[in-house]
mmCIF file of all heavy atoms in Angstrom:
data_model
loop_
_atom_site.group_PDB
_atom_site.id
_atom_site.type_symbol
_atom_site.label_atom_id
_atom_site.label_comp_id
_atom_site.label_asym_id
_atom_site.label_seq_id
_atom_site.Cartn_x
_atom_site.Cartn_y
_atom_site.Cartn_z
ATOM 1 N N GLU A 25 -58.952 -92.776 -52.752
ATOM 2 C CA GLU A 25 -60.315 -92.518 -52.990
ATOM 3 C C GLU A 25 -60.476 -91.559 -54.126
ATOM 4 O O GLU A 25 -61.444 -91.698 -54.926
ATOM 5 C CB GLU A 25 -60.994 -91.898 -51.652
ATOM 6 C CG GLU A 25 -61.212 -93.042 -50.625
ATOM 7 C CD GLU A 25 -61.793 -92.541 -49.276
ATOM 8 O OE1 GLU A 25 -61.903 -91.286 -49.120
ATOM 9 O OE2 GLU A 25 -62.019 -93.395 -48.536
ATOM 10 N N GLU A 26 -59.595 -90.570 -54.266
ATOM 11 C CA GLU A 26 -59.661 -89.646 -55.387
ATOM 12 C C GLU A 26 -59.310 -90.429 -56.725
ATOM 13 O O GLU A 26 -59.930 -90.191 -57.735
ATOM 14 C CB GLU A 26 -58.643 -88.546 -55.188
ATOM 15 C CG GLU A 26 -58.587 -87.537 -56.253
ATOM 16 C CD GLU A 26 -59.892 -86.701 -56.428
ATOM 17 O OE1 GLU A 26 -60.685 -86.614 -55.465
ATOM 18 O OE2 GLU A 26 -60.130 -86.147 -57.457
ATOM 19 N N GLN A 27 -58.322 -91.338 -56.574
ATOM 20 C CA GLN A 27 -57.948 -92.126 -57.841
ATOM 21 C C GLN A 27 -59.097 -93.021 -58.209
ATOM 22 O O GLN A 27 -59.461 -93.043 -59.439
ATOM 23 C CB GLN A 27 -56.744 -93.041 -57.565
ATOM 24 C CG GLN A 27 -55.441 -92.286 -57.286
ATOM 25 C CD GLN A 27 -55.000 -91.516 -58.508
ATOM 26 O OE1 GLN A 27 -54.702 -92.202 -59.530
ATOM 27 N NE2 GLN A 27 -55.069 -90.248 -58.557
ATOM 28 N N LEU A 28 -59.824 -93.650 -57.354
ATOM 29 C CA LEU A 28 -60.871 -94.544 -57.673
ATOM 30 C C LEU A 28 -62.143 -93.719 -58.091
ATOM 31 O O LEU A 28 -62.950 -94.238 -58.937
ATOM 32 C CB LEU A 28 -61.166 -95.475 -56.555
ATOM 33 C CG LEU A 28 -60.068 -96.471 -56.191
ATOM 34 C CD1 LEU A 28 -60.421 -97.287 -54.935
ATOM 35 C CD2 LEU A 28 -59.861 -97.377 -57.401
ATOM 36 N N LYS A 29 -62.304 -92.593 -57.610
ATOM 37 C CA LYS A 29 -63.452 -91.717 -58.133
ATOM 38 C C LYS A 29 -63.193 -91.352 -59.550
ATOM 39 O O LYS A 29 -64.112 -91.409 -60.317
ATOM 40 C CB LYS A 29 -63.506 -90.433 -57.165
ATOM 41 C CG LYS A 29 -64.595 -89.482 -57.580
ATOM 42 C CD LYS A 29 -64.652 -88.295 -56.730
ATOM 43 C CE LYS A 29 -63.759 -87.276 -57.382
ATOM 44 N NZ LYS A 29 -63.689 -85.950 -56.735
ATOM 45 N N ASN A 30 -61.962 -91.041 -59.872
ATOM 46 C CA ASN A 30 -61.612 -90.633 -61.281
ATOM 47 C C ASN A 30 -61.572 -91.855 -62.252
ATOM 48 O O ASN A 30 -61.927 -91.717 -63.369
ATOM 49 C CB ASN A 30 -60.330 -89.902 -61.394
ATOM 50 C CG ASN A 30 -60.423 -88.531 -60.638
ATOM 51 O OD1 ASN A 30 -61.495 -87.982 -60.610
ATOM 52 N ND2 ASN A 30 -59.331 -88.046 -60.227
ATOM 53 N N TYR A 31 -61.005 -92.993 -61.807
ATOM 54 C CA TYR A 31 -60.673 -94.068 -62.680
ATOM 55 C C TYR A 31 -61.334 -95.364 -62.405
ATOM 56 O O TYR A 31 -61.127 -96.321 -63.144
ATOM 57 C CB TYR A 31 -59.203 -94.255 -62.714
ATOM 58 C CG TYR A 31 -58.412 -93.027 -62.953
ATOM 59 C CD1 TYR A 31 -57.600 -92.442 -62.018
ATOM 60 C CD2 TYR A 31 -58.431 -92.384 -64.202
ATOM 61 C CE1 TYR A 31 -56.883 -91.242 -62.252
ATOM 62 C CE2 TYR A 31 -57.775 -91.228 -64.537
ATOM 63 C CZ TYR A 31 -56.997 -90.643 -63.411
ATOM 64 O OH TYR A 31 -56.325 -89.478 -63.639
ATOM 65 N N LYS A 32 -62.175 -95.464 -61.376
ATOM 66 C CA LYS A 32 -62.993 -96.590 -61.005
ATOM 67 C C LYS A 32 -62.114 -97.793 -60.446
ATOM 68 O O LYS A 32 -62.374 -98.215 -59.403
ATOM 69 C CB LYS A 32 -63.884 -97.160 -62.126
ATOM 70 C CG LYS A 32 -64.702 -96.044 -62.790
ATOM 71 C CD LYS A 32 -65.612 -95.325 -61.754
ATOM 72 C CE LYS A 32 -66.417 -94.320 -62.445
ATOM 73 N NZ LYS A 32 -66.295 -92.997 -61.809
ATOM 74 N N LYS A 33 -61.258 -98.346 -61.261
ATOM 75 C CA LYS A 33 -60.367 -99.468 -60.794
ATOM 76 C C LYS A 33 -58.913 -99.017 -61.196
ATOM 77 O O LYS A 33 -58.663 -98.303 -62.188
ATOM 78 C CB LYS A 33 -60.764 -100.694 -61.558
ATOM 79 C CG LYS A 33 -61.992 -101.326 -61.143
ATOM 80 C CD LYS A 33 -62.206 -102.629 -61.726
ATOM 81 C CE LYS A 33 -63.457 -103.300 -61.181
ATOM 82 N NZ LYS A 33 -63.596 -104.689 -61.542
ATOM 83 N N GLN A 34 -57.961 -99.616 -60.337
ATOM 84 C CA GLN A 34 -56.570 -99.212 -60.743
ATOM 85 C C GLN A 34 -55.668 -100.473 -60.446
ATOM 86 O O GLN A 34 -55.990 -101.248 -59.491
ATOM 87 C CB GLN A 34 -55.991 -98.099 -59.893
ATOM 88 C CG GLN A 34 -56.355 -96.749 -60.460
ATOM 89 C CD GLN A 34 -55.531 -95.666 -59.906
ATOM 90 O OE1 GLN A 34 -55.201 -95.606 -58.768
ATOM 91 N NE2 GLN A 34 -55.006 -94.834 -60.819
ATOM 92 N N VAL A 35 -54.675 -100.608 -61.232
ATOM 93 C CA VAL A 35 -53.659 -101.636 -60.984
ATOM 94 C C VAL A 35 -52.404 -100.764 -60.501
ATOM 95 O O VAL A 35 -51.967 -99.911 -61.162
ATOM 96 C CB VAL A 35 -53.198 -102.344 -62.234
ATOM 97 C CG1 VAL A 35 -52.093 -103.330 -62.064
ATOM 98 C CG2 VAL A 35 -54.454 -103.159 -62.774
ATOM 99 N N ILE A 36 -51.996 -101.076 -59.331
ATOM 100 C CA ILE A 36 -50.888 -100.351 -58.777
ATOM 101 C C ILE A 36 -49.592 -101.194 -59.051
ATOM 102 O O ILE A 36 -49.580 -102.331 -58.729
ATOM 103 C CB ILE A 36 -50.940 -100.308 -57.181
ATOM 104 C CG1 ILE A 36 -52.208 -99.609 -56.759
ATOM 105 C CG2 ILE A 36 -49.625 -99.697 -56.636
ATOM 106 C CD1 ILE A 36 -52.485 -99.707 -55.293
ATOM 107 N N ILE A 37 -48.599 -100.580 -59.640
ATOM 108 C CA ILE A 37 -47.375 -101.304 -59.936
ATOM 109 C C ILE A 37 -46.300 -100.588 -59.012
ATOM 110 O O ILE A 37 -45.926 -99.431 -59.378
ATOM 111 C CB ILE A 37 -46.978 -101.218 -61.454
ATOM 112 C CG1 ILE A 37 -48.145 -101.921 -62.268
ATOM 113 C CG2 ILE A 37 -45.637 -102.015 -61.650
ATOM 114 C CD1 ILE A 37 -47.970 -101.910 -63.685
ATOM 115 N N ASN A 38 -45.853 -101.240 -58.107
ATOM 116 C CA ASN A 38 -44.807 -100.794 -57.190
ATOM 117 C C ASN A 38 -43.441 -101.011 -57.822
ATOM 118 O O ASN A 38 -43.044 -102.207 -57.985
ATOM 119 C CB ASN A 38 -44.880 -101.381 -55.779
ATOM 120 C CG ASN A 38 -43.890 -100.892 -54.862
ATOM 121 O OD1 ASN A 38 -43.068 -100.063 -55.156
ATOM 122 N ND2 ASN A 38 -44.010 -101.328 -53.624
ATOM 123 N N LEU A 39 -42.729 -99.943 -58.137
ATOM 124 C CA LEU A 39 -41.370 -100.163 -58.891
ATOM 125 C C LEU A 39 -40.166 -100.022 -57.978
ATOM 126 O O LEU A 39 -39.108 -99.978 -58.521
ATOM 127 C CB LEU A 39 -41.334 -99.191 -60.081
ATOM 128 C CG LEU A 39 -42.409 -99.397 -61.086
ATOM 129 C CD1 LEU A 39 -42.328 -98.265 -62.163
ATOM 130 C CD2 LEU A 39 -42.326 -100.741 -61.753
ATOM 131 N N VAL A 40 -40.344 -99.806 -56.694
ATOM 132 C CA VAL A 40 -39.258 -99.559 -55.839
ATOM 133 C C VAL A 40 -38.418 -100.974 -55.622
ATOM 134 O O VAL A 40 -38.905 -101.980 -55.800
ATOM 135 C CB VAL A 40 -39.607 -99.005 -54.438
ATOM 136 C CG1 VAL A 40 -40.363 -97.690 -54.602
ATOM 137 C CG2 VAL A 40 -40.409 -99.920 -53.595
ATOM 138 N N ASP A 41 -37.172 -100.673 -55.337
ATOM 139 C CA ASP A 41 -36.270 -101.779 -55.091
ATOM 140 C C ASP A 41 -36.782 -102.601 -53.801
ATOM 141 O O ASP A 41 -36.802 -101.998 -52.700
ATOM 142 C CB ASP A 41 -34.837 -101.269 -54.849
ATOM 143 C CG ASP A 41 -33.818 -102.347 -54.611
ATOM 144 O OD1 ASP A 41 -34.135 -103.522 -54.577
ATOM 145 O OD2 ASP A 41 -32.610 -102.008 -54.388
ATOM 146 N N GLN A 42 -37.082 -103.842 -53.993
ATOM 147 C CA GLN A 42 -37.735 -104.610 -52.926
ATOM 148 C C GLN A 42 -36.721 -105.199 -51.961
ATOM 149 O O GLN A 42 -37.118 -105.753 -50.897
ATOM 150 C CB GLN A 42 -38.526 -105.730 -53.546
ATOM 151 C CG GLN A 42 -39.654 -105.284 -54.466
ATOM 152 C CD GLN A 42 -40.642 -104.371 -53.784
ATOM 153 O OE1 GLN A 42 -41.197 -104.801 -52.699
ATOM 154 N NE2 GLN A 42 -40.867 -103.200 -54.261
ATOM 155 N N THR A 43 -35.455 -105.162 -52.178
ATOM 156 C CA THR A 43 -34.448 -105.700 -51.328
ATOM 157 C C THR A 43 -33.344 -104.677 -50.860
ATOM 158 O O THR A 43 -32.690 -104.986 -49.865
ATOM 159 C CB THR A 43 -33.785 -106.845 -52.022
ATOM 160 O OG1 THR A 43 -33.080 -106.455 -53.133
ATOM 161 C CG2 THR A 43 -34.744 -108.024 -52.284
ATOM 162 N N GLY A 44 -33.156 -103.634 -51.522
ATOM 163 C CA GLY A 44 -32.111 -102.735 -51.275
ATOM 164 C C GLY A 44 -32.532 -101.582 -50.289
ATOM 165 O O GLY A 44 -33.456 -101.716 -49.490
ATOM 166 N N ARG A 45 -32.056 -100.349 -50.498
ATOM 167 C CA ARG A 45 -32.200 -99.271 -49.606
ATOM 168 C C ARG A 45 -33.608 -98.719 -49.727
ATOM 169 O O ARG A 45 -34.104 -98.031 -48.868
ATOM 170 C CB ARG A 45 -31.181 -98.201 -49.929
ATOM 171 C CG ARG A 45 -31.247 -97.705 -51.370
ATOM 172 C CD ARG A 45 -30.053 -96.746 -51.803
ATOM 173 N NE ARG A 45 -29.628 -95.915 -50.727
ATOM 174 C CZ ARG A 45 -28.375 -95.742 -50.403
ATOM 175 N NH1 ARG A 45 -27.419 -96.321 -51.091
ATOM 176 N NH2 ARG A 45 -28.040 -94.871 -49.425
ATOM 177 N N GLU A 46 -34.394 -99.038 -50.761
ATOM 178 C CA GLU A 46 -35.834 -98.574 -50.919
ATOM 179 C C GLU A 46 -36.833 -99.569 -50.274
ATOM 180 O O GLU A 46 -37.977 -99.318 -50.259
ATOM 181 C CB GLU A 46 -36.130 -98.439 -52.319
ATOM 182 C CG GLU A 46 -35.369 -97.346 -53.035
ATOM 183 C CD GLU A 46 -35.652 -97.233 -54.591
ATOM 184 O OE1 GLU A 46 -36.269 -98.091 -55.114
ATOM 185 O OE2 GLU A 46 -35.187 -96.171 -55.144
ATOM 186 N N LYS A 47 -36.292 -100.699 -49.731
ATOM 187 C CA LYS A 47 -37.190 -101.717 -49.161
ATOM 188 C C LYS A 47 -38.155 -101.140 -48.121
ATOM 189 O O LYS A 47 -39.327 -101.492 -48.069
ATOM 190 C CB LYS A 47 -36.402 -102.823 -48.513
ATOM 191 C CG LYS A 47 -37.223 -103.958 -47.938
ATOM 192 C CD LYS A 47 -36.369 -105.107 -47.545
ATOM 193 C CE LYS A 47 -37.106 -106.281 -46.842
ATOM 194 N NZ LYS A 47 -38.487 -106.274 -46.739
ATOM 195 N N ILE A 48 -37.693 -100.182 -47.308
ATOM 196 C CA ILE A 48 -38.479 -99.640 -46.216
ATOM 197 C C ILE A 48 -39.791 -98.858 -46.830
ATOM 198 O O ILE A 48 -40.805 -98.919 -46.269
ATOM 199 C CB ILE A 48 -37.678 -98.673 -45.354
ATOM 200 C CG1 ILE A 48 -38.526 -98.216 -44.146
ATOM 201 C CG2 ILE A 48 -37.198 -97.434 -46.215
ATOM 202 C CD1 ILE A 48 -37.652 -97.421 -43.148
ATOM 203 N N ILE A 49 -39.552 -98.257 -47.979
ATOM 204 C CA ILE A 49 -40.698 -97.611 -48.710
ATOM 205 C C ILE A 49 -41.666 -98.561 -49.313
ATOM 206 O O ILE A 49 -42.900 -98.432 -49.180
ATOM 207 C CB ILE A 49 -40.178 -96.619 -49.773
ATOM 208 C CG1 ILE A 49 -39.172 -95.640 -49.208
ATOM 209 C CG2 ILE A 49 -41.343 -95.852 -50.439
ATOM 210 C CD1 ILE A 49 -39.668 -94.831 -47.998
ATOM 211 N N GLY A 50 -41.070 -99.530 -49.937
ATOM 212 C CA GLY A 50 -41.991 -100.657 -50.571
ATOM 213 C C GLY A 50 -42.761 -101.375 -49.478
ATOM 214 O O GLY A 50 -43.993 -101.693 -49.762
ATOM 215 N N ASP A 51 -42.216 -101.676 -48.348
ATOM 216 C CA ASP A 51 -42.869 -102.409 -47.306
ATOM 217 C C ASP A 51 -43.998 -101.469 -46.751
ATOM 218 O O ASP A 51 -45.090 -102.002 -46.449
ATOM 219 C CB ASP A 51 -41.935 -102.732 -46.149
ATOM 220 C CG ASP A 51 -40.954 -103.909 -46.605
ATOM 221 O OD1 ASP A 51 -41.147 -104.553 -47.646
ATOM 222 O OD2 ASP A 51 -40.022 -104.135 -45.807
ATOM 223 N N ALA A 52 -43.743 -100.232 -46.580
ATOM 224 C CA ALA A 52 -44.767 -99.287 -46.007
ATOM 225 C C ALA A 52 -45.850 -99.197 -46.986
ATOM 226 O O ALA A 52 -47.097 -99.123 -46.668
ATOM 227 C CB ALA A 52 -44.126 -98.028 -45.743
ATOM 228 N N TYR A 53 -45.564 -99.175 -48.347
ATOM 229 C CA TYR A 53 -46.630 -99.100 -49.410
ATOM 230 C C TYR A 53 -47.511 -100.298 -49.262
ATOM 231 O O TYR A 53 -48.757 -100.208 -49.290
ATOM 232 C CB TYR A 53 -45.939 -98.953 -50.776
ATOM 233 C CG TYR A 53 -46.766 -98.490 -51.910
ATOM 234 C CD1 TYR A 53 -48.081 -98.072 -51.780
ATOM 235 C CD2 TYR A 53 -46.225 -98.569 -53.186
ATOM 236 C CE1 TYR A 53 -48.824 -97.641 -52.829
ATOM 237 C CE2 TYR A 53 -46.960 -98.154 -54.298
ATOM 238 C CZ TYR A 53 -48.224 -97.608 -54.133
ATOM 239 O OH TYR A 53 -48.957 -97.193 -55.191
ATOM 240 N N LEU A 54 -46.933 -101.507 -49.296
ATOM 241 C CA LEU A 54 -47.674 -102.723 -49.298
ATOM 242 C C LEU A 54 -48.580 -102.763 -48.046
ATOM 243 O O LEU A 54 -49.698 -103.179 -48.079
ATOM 244 C CB LEU A 54 -46.739 -103.918 -49.300
ATOM 245 C CG LEU A 54 -47.511 -105.285 -49.195
ATOM 246 C CD1 LEU A 54 -48.506 -105.483 -50.312
ATOM 247 C CD2 LEU A 54 -46.405 -106.453 -49.248
ATOM 248 N N LYS A 55 -48.032 -102.381 -46.861
ATOM 249 C CA LYS A 55 -48.769 -102.360 -45.615
ATOM 250 C C LYS A 55 -50.014 -101.472 -45.774
ATOM 251 O O LYS A 55 -51.182 -101.858 -45.313
ATOM 252 C CB LYS A 55 -47.874 -101.933 -44.466
ATOM 253 C CG LYS A 55 -48.550 -101.989 -43.148
ATOM 254 C CD LYS A 55 -48.902 -103.331 -42.756
ATOM 255 C CE LYS A 55 -49.410 -103.339 -41.321
ATOM 256 N NZ LYS A 55 -49.715 -104.706 -40.757
ATOM 257 N N GLN A 56 -49.848 -100.283 -46.314
ATOM 258 C CA GLN A 56 -51.024 -99.404 -46.480
ATOM 259 C C GLN A 56 -52.035 -100.015 -47.484
ATOM 260 O O GLN A 56 -53.217 -99.843 -47.237
ATOM 261 C CB GLN A 56 -50.503 -98.018 -46.971
ATOM 262 C CG GLN A 56 -49.733 -97.220 -46.039
ATOM 263 C CD GLN A 56 -50.594 -96.800 -44.842
ATOM 264 O OE1 GLN A 56 -51.748 -96.546 -44.878
ATOM 265 N NE2 GLN A 56 -49.991 -96.931 -43.611
ATOM 266 N N VAL A 57 -51.522 -100.645 -48.579
ATOM 267 C CA VAL A 57 -52.582 -101.239 -49.447
ATOM 268 C C VAL A 57 -53.304 -102.388 -48.742
ATOM 269 O O VAL A 57 -54.552 -102.431 -48.957
ATOM 270 C CB VAL A 57 -51.787 -101.898 -50.714
ATOM 271 C CG1 VAL A 57 -52.751 -102.775 -51.513
ATOM 272 C CG2 VAL A 57 -51.216 -100.790 -51.581
ATOM 273 N N LEU A 58 -52.636 -103.147 -47.921
ATOM 274 C CA LEU A 58 -53.350 -104.190 -47.143
ATOM 275 C C LEU A 58 -54.359 -103.592 -46.119
ATOM 276 O O LEU A 58 -55.426 -104.137 -46.003
ATOM 277 C CB LEU A 58 -52.376 -105.109 -46.542
ATOM 278 C CG LEU A 58 -51.446 -105.994 -47.487
ATOM 279 C CD1 LEU A 58 -50.310 -106.667 -46.669
ATOM 280 C CD2 LEU A 58 -52.282 -106.901 -48.209
ATOM 281 N N LEU A 59 -53.978 -102.553 -45.537
ATOM 282 C CA LEU A 59 -54.909 -101.886 -44.550
ATOM 283 C C LEU A 59 -56.074 -101.283 -45.306
ATOM 284 O O LEU A 59 -57.230 -101.365 -44.706
ATOM 285 C CB LEU A 59 -54.178 -100.777 -43.771
ATOM 286 C CG LEU A 59 -53.120 -101.311 -42.717
ATOM 287 C CD1 LEU A 59 -52.235 -100.127 -42.236
ATOM 288 C CD2 LEU A 59 -53.771 -102.047 -41.518
ATOM 289 N N TYR A 60 -55.849 -100.685 -46.396
ATOM 290 C CA TYR A 60 -56.994 -100.059 -47.156
ATOM 291 C C TYR A 60 -57.911 -101.154 -47.679
ATOM 292 O O TYR A 60 -59.169 -100.995 -47.684
ATOM 293 C CB TYR A 60 -56.411 -99.325 -48.359
ATOM 294 C CG TYR A 60 -57.375 -98.441 -49.139
ATOM 295 C CD1 TYR A 60 -58.271 -97.607 -48.481
ATOM 296 C CD2 TYR A 60 -57.418 -98.480 -50.517
ATOM 297 C CE1 TYR A 60 -59.172 -96.859 -49.165
ATOM 298 C CE2 TYR A 60 -58.265 -97.747 -51.222
ATOM 299 C CZ TYR A 60 -59.179 -96.925 -50.512
ATOM 300 O OH TYR A 60 -60.044 -96.153 -51.253
ATOM 301 N N ASN A 61 -57.385 -102.334 -48.157
ATOM 302 C CA ASN A 61 -58.196 -103.482 -48.545
ATOM 303 C C ASN A 61 -59.401 -103.132 -49.431
ATOM 304 O O ASN A 61 -60.485 -103.445 -49.098
ATOM 305 C CB ASN A 61 -58.642 -104.159 -47.258
ATOM 306 C CG ASN A 61 -59.179 -105.576 -47.545
ATOM 307 O OD1 ASN A 61 -58.802 -106.194 -48.535
ATOM 308 N ND2 ASN A 61 -60.037 -106.064 -46.694
ATOM 309 N N ASN A 62 -59.088 -102.586 -50.568
ATOM 310 C CA ASN A 62 -60.109 -102.224 -51.520
ATOM 311 C C ASN A 62 -60.161 -103.204 -52.718
ATOM 312 O O ASN A 62 -59.024 -103.301 -53.342
ATOM 313 C CB ASN A 62 -59.958 -100.825 -51.997
ATOM 314 C CG ASN A 62 -61.066 -100.219 -52.714
ATOM 315 O OD1 ASN A 62 -61.517 -100.807 -53.742
ATOM 316 N ND2 ASN A 62 -61.634 -99.107 -52.305
ATOM 317 N N ALA A 63 -61.248 -103.738 -53.113
ATOM 318 C CA ALA A 63 -61.309 -104.700 -54.194
ATOM 319 C C ALA A 63 -61.034 -104.079 -55.535
ATOM 320 O O ALA A 63 -60.752 -104.797 -56.503
ATOM 321 C CB ALA A 63 -62.673 -105.379 -54.161
ATOM 322 N N ASN A 64 -61.136 -102.769 -55.707
ATOM 323 C CA ASN A 64 -60.876 -102.048 -56.865
ATOM 324 C C ASN A 64 -59.395 -101.715 -57.076
ATOM 325 O O ASN A 64 -59.050 -101.159 -58.153
ATOM 326 C CB ASN A 64 -61.695 -100.803 -57.016
ATOM 327 C CG ASN A 64 -63.180 -101.083 -57.089
ATOM 328 O OD1 ASN A 64 -63.610 -101.956 -57.826
ATOM 329 N ND2 ASN A 64 -63.986 -100.425 -56.337
ATOM 330 N N LEU A 65 -58.539 -102.159 -56.182
ATOM 331 C CA LEU A 65 -57.079 -101.943 -56.366
ATOM 332 C C LEU A 65 -56.435 -103.297 -56.532
ATOM 333 O O LEU A 65 -56.739 -104.269 -55.738
ATOM 334 C CB LEU A 65 -56.504 -101.286 -55.169
ATOM 335 C CG LEU A 65 -56.804 -99.820 -54.946
ATOM 336 C CD1 LEU A 65 -56.148 -99.325 -53.604
ATOM 337 C CD2 LEU A 65 -56.408 -98.939 -56.092
ATOM 338 N N THR A 66 -55.616 -103.396 -57.516
ATOM 339 C CA THR A 66 -54.799 -104.593 -57.707
ATOM 340 C C THR A 66 -53.287 -104.190 -57.503
ATOM 341 O O THR A 66 -52.855 -103.282 -58.152
ATOM 342 C CB THR A 66 -54.960 -105.193 -59.080
ATOM 343 O OG1 THR A 66 -56.316 -105.484 -59.302
ATOM 344 C CG2 THR A 66 -54.078 -106.427 -59.309
ATOM 345 N N TYR A 67 -52.606 -104.819 -56.616
ATOM 346 C CA TYR A 67 -51.220 -104.442 -56.293
ATOM 347 C C TYR A 67 -50.261 -105.423 -56.926
ATOM 348 O O TYR A 67 -50.410 -106.644 -56.804
ATOM 349 C CB TYR A 67 -50.991 -104.463 -54.783
ATOM 350 C CG TYR A 67 -49.698 -104.130 -54.330
ATOM 351 C CD1 TYR A 67 -49.290 -102.819 -54.072
ATOM 352 C CD2 TYR A 67 -48.719 -105.175 -54.042
ATOM 353 C CE1 TYR A 67 -47.996 -102.509 -53.586
ATOM 354 C CE2 TYR A 67 -47.455 -104.841 -53.598
ATOM 355 C CZ TYR A 67 -47.187 -103.534 -53.413
ATOM 356 O OH TYR A 67 -45.883 -103.201 -52.927
ATOM 357 N N VAL A 68 -49.272 -104.859 -57.625
ATOM 358 C CA VAL A 68 -48.217 -105.701 -58.282
ATOM 359 C C VAL A 68 -46.856 -105.086 -57.927
ATOM 360 O O VAL A 68 -46.680 -103.905 -58.023
ATOM 361 C CB VAL A 68 -48.403 -105.697 -59.830
ATOM 362 C CG1 VAL A 68 -47.355 -106.507 -60.445
ATOM 363 C CG2 VAL A 68 -49.788 -106.192 -60.224
ATOM 364 N N SER A 69 -45.963 -105.935 -57.450
ATOM 365 C CA SER A 69 -44.658 -105.466 -57.171
ATOM 366 C C SER A 69 -43.806 -105.901 -58.251
ATOM 367 O O SER A 69 -43.668 -107.112 -58.551
ATOM 368 C CB SER A 69 -44.223 -106.020 -55.835
ATOM 369 O OG SER A 69 -42.945 -105.583 -55.531
ATOM 370 N N PHE A 70 -43.013 -104.970 -58.909
ATOM 371 C CA PHE A 70 -42.096 -105.319 -59.971
ATOM 372 C C PHE A 70 -40.786 -104.603 -59.715
ATOM 373 O O PHE A 70 -40.717 -103.483 -59.633
ATOM 374 C CB PHE A 70 -42.577 -104.859 -61.306
ATOM 375 C CG PHE A 70 -41.733 -105.307 -62.455
ATOM 376 C CD1 PHE A 70 -41.941 -106.477 -63.066
ATOM 377 C CD2 PHE A 70 -40.713 -104.388 -62.925
ATOM 378 C CE1 PHE A 70 -41.109 -106.931 -64.063
ATOM 379 C CE2 PHE A 70 -39.926 -104.787 -63.978
ATOM 380 C CZ PHE A 70 -40.122 -106.010 -64.602
#
């Protein structure tokens, strides 16, 4: 909410390892983005 107040729209680029030891963090991040469900956020996993 603070990010969108300041920047209106954002593209989130998730840079964590999607298959290794960081997978647990990446999965939790994606889950929170889906729960938040805001049209002004675009989620990209790289």
Side-chain angles (χ1 to χ4, degrees):
E25 284 176 359
E26 182 68 20
Q27 293 295 292
L28 294 173
K29 182 179 87 176
N30 291 334
Y31 308 112
K32 310 302 179 233
K33 291 186 175 190
Q34 279 201 316
V35 176
I36 302 168
I37 302 176
N38 182 356
L39 300 175
V40 303
D41 182 0
Q42 300 298 306
T43 58
R45 58 190 324 134
E46 296 175 348
K47 182 177 178 2
I48 188 172
I49 306 302
D51 290 348
Y53 195 9
L54 176 57
K55 182 69 174 179
Q56 290 296 322
V57 170
L58 294 172
L59 289 170
Y60 188 49
N61 193 26
N62 190 305
N64 292 318
L65 291 181
T66 301
Y67 178 87
V68 176
S69 181
F70 184 85

